[in-house]
Amino acid sequence: MKCFTHQIDSVGICKSCNKAVCSDCAIDTGRGIACSEECVNEVNDINVIMDKSKQIYGIGSSSKLPPTGILMYLFFAVAFTGFGIYQTIIRERPDYFLFVMGAGFLIVGGLAWFRNRKLNLNC
Ligand SMILES: [Zn+2]
Ligand SMILES: [Zn+2]
């Protein structure tokens, strides 16, 4: 590929506008190559956005705790099942609705956990 402005061999591609740049045009931002001062600002913005979304999705997080979303499902599963057992004892007949709800939350939570593991997310 040739440099976008100089028609000589390029050394890289601007991380912001994807134009090919030669060694004269390329500005190393530290985390990607930019072709101009405007693109340096853009590249810095992209890096900030990447860092933020990494935090949001928990990529690279060292936390060993299960994600809060899945903890919520687990909490509801335990709450519904517990309340179901309580109602079963009080009324002396099984409260199927609460057991089904509890099992449903457990399944949905399990699926969410499995999906997160597969996609390497942590949310
Ligand atoms: Zn550029
Ligand atoms: Zn150039």
Side-chain angles (χ1 to χ4, degrees):
M1 211 175 337
K2 301 282 181 195
C3 171
F4 185 77
T5 22
H6 297 113
Q7 302 309 314
I8 54 170
D9 282 338
S10 63
V11 292
I13 289 167
C14 173
K15 196 174 176 177
S16 170
C17 62
N18 291 323
K19 283 174 189 163
V21 285
C22 68
S23 49
D24 287 340
C25 307
I27 303 164
D28 191 359
T29 65
R31 288 179 64 185
I33 291 168
C35 67
S36 62
E37 285 301 323
E38 295 94 81
C39 280
V40 169
N41 293 331
E42 285 294 315
V43 169
N44 287 334
D45 287 348
I46 290 167
N47 288 335
V48 169
I49 291 162
M50 298 246 288
D51 288 344
K52 290 273 179 226
S53 42
K54 272 188 197 171
Q55 279 172 8
I56 290 163
Y57 290 112
I59 296 164
S61 98
S62 55
S63 169
K64 289 277 177 285
L65 275 173
T68 40
I70 286 156
L71 279 180
M72 282 287 287
Y73 285 124
L74 261 182
F75 171 77
F76 279 119
V78 170
F80 273 107
T81 310
F83 195 57
I85 292 165
Y86 173 77
Q87 289 284 66
T88 303
I89 292 163
I90 295 295
R91 294 183 183 177
E92 290 177 339
R93 65 181 174 81
D95 195 323
Y96 293 114
F97 173 73
L98 290 172
F99 284 132
V100 167
M101 287 294 283
F105 275 113
L106 197 66
I107 290 163
V108 173
L111 286 174
W113 181 76
F114 186 72
R115 177 180 158 273
N116 281 8
R117 284 284 299 262
K118 212 170 141 192
L119 296 175
N120 208 11
L121 298 178
N122 193 30
C123 62

